Amino acid sequence: MSTIVTKFGGSSLADANQFKKVKDIIVSNEERKYVIPSAPGKRNSKDSKITDLLYLCHAHVSTGISFDEVFNHIKDRYCGIVKDLNLDFNISKHLDIVKNDLEEGASSDYAASRGEYLNGLILANYLGFEFVDAKEVMIFNDDGSLDSEATNLALNSKLSKISKAVIPGFYGADKDGNIITFSRGGSDITGALVAASINADLYENWTDVSGFLMADPRIIKNPKPISKITYTELRELSYMGASVLHEDAIFPVREIGIPINIKNTNKPEDEGTFIVKDTDISTKPTTITGIAGKKDFTVISITKASMNSELGFCRKLLSILEQHNISFENMPSGIDTVCLVISDSQLKHKKESVVDEIKRTCNPDTIEIHPNLAMIATVGRGMAKQRGTAAKIFTALSNAEINIRMIDQGSSEMNILVGIENDNFEKGISAIYNAFN
Ligand code: ASP
């Protein structure tokens, strides 16, 4: 029998009604053996995520403010779920322990992790599955990074003895038992690690949308869904802002080629999106898979006569960024010019210092700052080794009267990146989307 690892996001477990949908999904397929829950998410747009409330409790304790009110709110949410599911399960006992630990100064990672921990206890009870505390199977190094080898070993030895289990997402522990969390949205990573360790046949990631769409629905009305996408394409799109899955959740399953299926808990009959190996899909030439983009980049444009023959020029330039702890997005260059494209979130408060240092160290003829750049990535395996995709993109932008300030194509030939004015961002995405649909 195949094995499916299923991860459910916060909105899929936000209340008892959502828990019921989750149970229906799990019992409908015997192959769904290992379940990774997030903490309860928002029930409506004005609601709070339990994880955020737990961080708030920790912040209150650290500043000496009473956190009773916030904690009671958390308690009501969990007790409400248990009551509405008619479970004979004493969640209050566990909540009291968490409250006590917080009062005694538990870390912020510990505080945040309890959202998944408590939800996992309830879900395991509700499904009749064994509860596996993630602190036993997600092992972190002292510097906060994951010890992949130890994690793999721990997961293997634990799960080989258990046929059906709930393993809370988002956290683990270091070798001294201190709770450590992944970055926000990290339950996706837990699911991927579990799937990889047991060599699952499929990793299902259940959320509140039916997979990926070709473009942001806030910009394009009813964009087409993506039924299949490769890991590489997804990486390119999520890097440019398309987000459904945590970026780091792709690596563990990609290595061994486990497909990921993004599914909608509220519409389980929808097929969702399959994320697969590059070699697993046939492709129609010149088609694109998706479009994503981000606003607010700055271009630092540097000119210097004979730059091309000056040894070490780029090394000096890049070491200035490194000293300022800045990563750059792109570095298009000409014979005597080079541009650094940097996200404003990276550059903030450091612009003057970076420019001064470039002037001092690289002695350029000119250095200009161009703010307000938006980047749009048009991604598709169908464009590799085919002609016409770039022409179509540029024509579409030109017809929409949009000036292209920067062009870049990755060596994989799967992504054409254009830089345009922030103000033209939405118009640019629409123009490209319409050109291919
Ligand atoms: N609950 C955590 C968060 O809100 C982790 C997760 O949901 O994946 O970020």
Side-chain angles (χ1 to χ4, degrees):
M1 191 198 285
S2 311
T3 299
I4 303 175
V5 170
T6 52
K7 180 259 165 179
F8 288 90
S11 59
S12 302
L13 291 162
D15 60 22
N17 199 27
Q18 293 299 88
F19 265 72
K20 286 179 190 159
K21 293 183 193 168
V22 166
K23 186 169 184 174
D24 287 346
I25 290 166
I26 290 171
V27 299
S28 71
N29 187 344
E30 271 291 308
E31 294 171 349
R32 296 189 172 118
K33 294 178 192 152
Y34 300 109
V35 186
I36 319 301
S38 276
K42 293 183 181 189
R43 291 161 294 182
N44 52 60
S45 58
K46 292 195 186 77
D47 201 13
S48 304
K49 289 177 85 172
I50 290 288
T51 311
D52 292 332
L53 297 178
L54 286 161
Y55 277 122
L56 194 59
C57 286
H58 180 264
H60 277 38
V61 180
S62 318
T63 44
I65 306 169
S66 160
F67 69 101
D68 282 358
E69 201 183 314
V70 189
F71 198 82
N72 283 341
H73 192 62
I74 295 172
K75 196 167 179 175
D76 288 349
R77 291 273 308 262
Y78 283 112
C79 291
I81 293 173
V82 170
K83 183 171 159 276
D84 294 345
L85 293 176
N86 285 322
L87 292 180
D88 181 16
F89 180 62
N90 188 357
I91 190 71
S92 297
K93 183 181 82 186
H94 297 281
L95 282 154
D96 291 346
I97 297 173
V98 173
K99 184 161 191 221
N100 190 52
D101 289 344
L102 289 174
E103 275 160 357
E104 288 185 353
S107 69
S108 111
D109 278 12
Y110 170 88
S113 74
R114 296 305 88 181
E116 272 68 15
Y117 171 79
L118 295 163
N119 229 21
L121 286 173
I122 300 174
L123 187 63
N125 187 282
Y126 183 47
L127 295 174
F129 282 19
E130 189 158 329
F131 175 79
V132 173
D133 192 340
K135 78 174 182 198
E136 293 172 33
V137 286
M138 295 283 142
I139 316 294
F140 284 82
N141 295 307
D142 292 343
D143 64 1
S145 62
L146 184 83
D147 183 337
S148 313
E149 219 169 289
T151 298
N152 214 12
L153 278 175
L155 278 167
N156 257 312
S157 87
K158 188 84 190 172
L159 298 184
S160 61
K161 296 177 213 103
I162 304 172
S163 59
K164 299 208 164 175
V166 170
I167 308 142
F170 189 39
Y171 73 93
D174 64 17
K175 279 122 197 162
D176 297 325
N178 301 307
I179 298 290
I180 312 279
T181 58
F182 291 109
S183 56
R184 293 300 303 266
S187 300
D188 288 342
I189 308 174
T190 311
L193 290 167
V194 172
S197 76
I198 58 160
N199 205 354
D201 297 276
L202 180 64
Y203 171 31
E204 285 180 345
N205 194 295
W206 293 80
T207 172
D208 53 5
V209 289
S210 297
F212 294 102
L213 299 169
M214 263 189 86
D216 187 337
R218 287 167 300 187
I219 300 174
I220 306 290
K221 212 169 155 223
N222 296 326
K224 285 191 183 156
I226 301 175
S227 57
K228 271 193 182 174
I229 184 169
T230 66
Y231 301 121
T232 315
E233 289 172 313
L234 180 63
R235 170 96 181 110
E236 304 264 11
L237 283 173
S238 34
Y239 183 68
M240 280 313 287
S243 69
V244 172
L245 192 68
H246 192 297
E247 263 187 40
D248 294 344
I250 302 168
F251 299 109
V253 284
R254 175 186 190 150
E255 260 172 38
I256 38 181
I258 300 171
I260 309 174
N261 189 193
I262 308 286
K263 296 273 289 175
N264 188 348
T265 303
N266 304 318
K267 288 187 180 171
E269 62 288 351
D270 286 359
E271 284 226 331
T273 301
F274 275 92
I275 307 162
V276 295
K277 276 196 296 202
D278 299 17
T279 48
D280 277 3
I281 349 181
S282 59
T283 307
K284 269 205 227 126
T286 72
T287 51
I288 63 159
T289 305
I291 307 161
K294 282 192 209 164
K295 283 184 177 178
D296 299 326
F297 291 89
T298 292
V299 182
I300 303 180
S301 170
I302 300 142
T303 60
K304 185 171 186 182
S306 307
M307 182 192 287
N308 66 326
S309 55
E310 184 177 325
L311 281 179
F313 187 86
C314 284
R315 179 186 48 74
K316 281 189 246 166
L317 198 57
L318 296 184
S319 62
I320 295 169
L321 294 187
E322 194 177 346
Q323 281 151 22
H324 285 79
N325 205 14
I326 293 173
S327 69
F328 67 97
E329 304 293 320
N330 284 89
M331 195 170 70
S333 62
I335 303 171
D336 287 339
T337 62
V338 62
C339 291
L340 296 169
V341 181
I342 304 171
S343 159
D344 289 352
S345 60
Q346 288 278 322
L347 199 57
K348 65 176 174 204
H349 314 310
K350 297 179 184 166
K351 201 173 354 188
E352 274 76 44
S353 160
V354 168
V355 169
D356 285 351
E357 193 59 28
I358 294 176
K359 282 184 188 157
R360 214 174 51 78
T361 316
C362 303
N363 200 18
D365 295 338
T366 64
I367 174 162
E368 285 170 23
I369 308 289
H370 305 282
N372 304 324
L373 187 83
M375 306 260 271
I376 301 178
T378 306
V379 174
R381 57 193 182 277
M383 70 174 73
K385 300 187 184 66
Q386 298 292 331
R387 61 205 145 87
T389 315
K392 228 166 165 175
I393 296 171
F394 302 152
T395 307
L397 292 172
S398 158
N399 289 344
E401 295 183 353
I402 295 172
N403 178 41
I404 303 174
R405 281 173 46 185
M406 199 212 79
I407 301 167
D408 193 11
Q409 180 178 31
S411 57
S412 64
E413 258 194 84
M414 268 191 214
N415 183 3
I416 296 173
L417 206 57
V418 292
I420 61 177
E421 291 286 336
N422 265 345
D423 287 350
N424 284 327
F425 180 67
E426 285 81 7
K427 201 163 114 188
I429 296 233
S430 302
I432 298 173
Y433 180 85
N434 292 332
F436 288 92
N437 286 288

